[in-house]
Each structure stands twice: as structure tokens, then as C-alpha cells.
Amino acid sequence: MTYVGVDSKDGVMEREVLRKLYGRLNIPITELPDGLHIEYRDGFGIAVNYSDRTLALPLGDNTEYLVGERDIPVAGVSVWIAE
């Protein structure tokens, strides 16, 4: 188990620690714009846009959306079947 015990004001140190750890473990990293939060639960992908502009999900063209779509408006949500 690994714990990240840093808390910087801008988050740069936390990102670099995790980037280094994920690189060692060969875990892919997806860069998301500020305000776009994605999680996977019970076979579904869930994205929420907390930003002040419409954001596009970094998903393939064949993604089957159950709620919303690739472009998520401000305060919008998209749900899809995760592969």
C-alpha cells in the first residue's frame, strides 16, 4: 500500500509523486482538464463537469452513453458503459 502524504498549494508535487509511482507500475495516466472528474463504478463510467465551460470526455467514438454525451456542459453529467 502507498500513501501520498504531501499537500501543496498548487498540487504540482502530488501530481509528480503519483506520475512517478504510476510510471514505475506501468499504470496509464489520462490528463483531464481542471474541473472534469471521472470515476468508474459497477461497470459504468461517470463524469461530472465542475468547470465553468463545456468539456469533452477523452473517450472513443463507439462509447455508449446512458446519460449525457461526450461534451458535458457546465454542471453536467455523463454516464457510459465502461469497457
Side-chain angles (χ1 to χ4, degrees):
M1 187 172 291
T2 301
Y3 295 93
V4 177
V6 294
D7 186 19
S8 64
K9 289 185 180 185
D10 60 8
V12 172
M13 183 183 293
E14 292 91 324
R15 278 191 292 277
E16 290 307 312
V17 167
L18 290 174
R19 186 179 308 283
K20 187 173 184 177
L21 175 64
Y22 288 6
R24 286 183 182 175
L25 298 173
N26 295 319
I27 298 172
I29 297 172
T30 302
E31 294 290 335
L32 300 175
D34 288 340
L36 181 59
H37 294 261
I38 297 177
E39 69 175 84
Y40 293 90
R41 185 182 321 156
D42 299 325
F44 299 99
I46 305 162
V48 181
N49 180 357
Y50 291 104
S51 78
D52 60 355
R53 65 188 193 287
T54 298
L55 297 174
L57 286 168
L59 301 174
D61 292 336
N62 295 329
T63 301
E64 182 180 346
Y65 293 95
L66 303 174
V67 175
E69 54 191 41
R70 173 181 276 170
D71 293 328
I72 306 175
V74 173
V77 175
S78 286
V79 178
W80 64 94
I81 297 173
E83 297 177 11

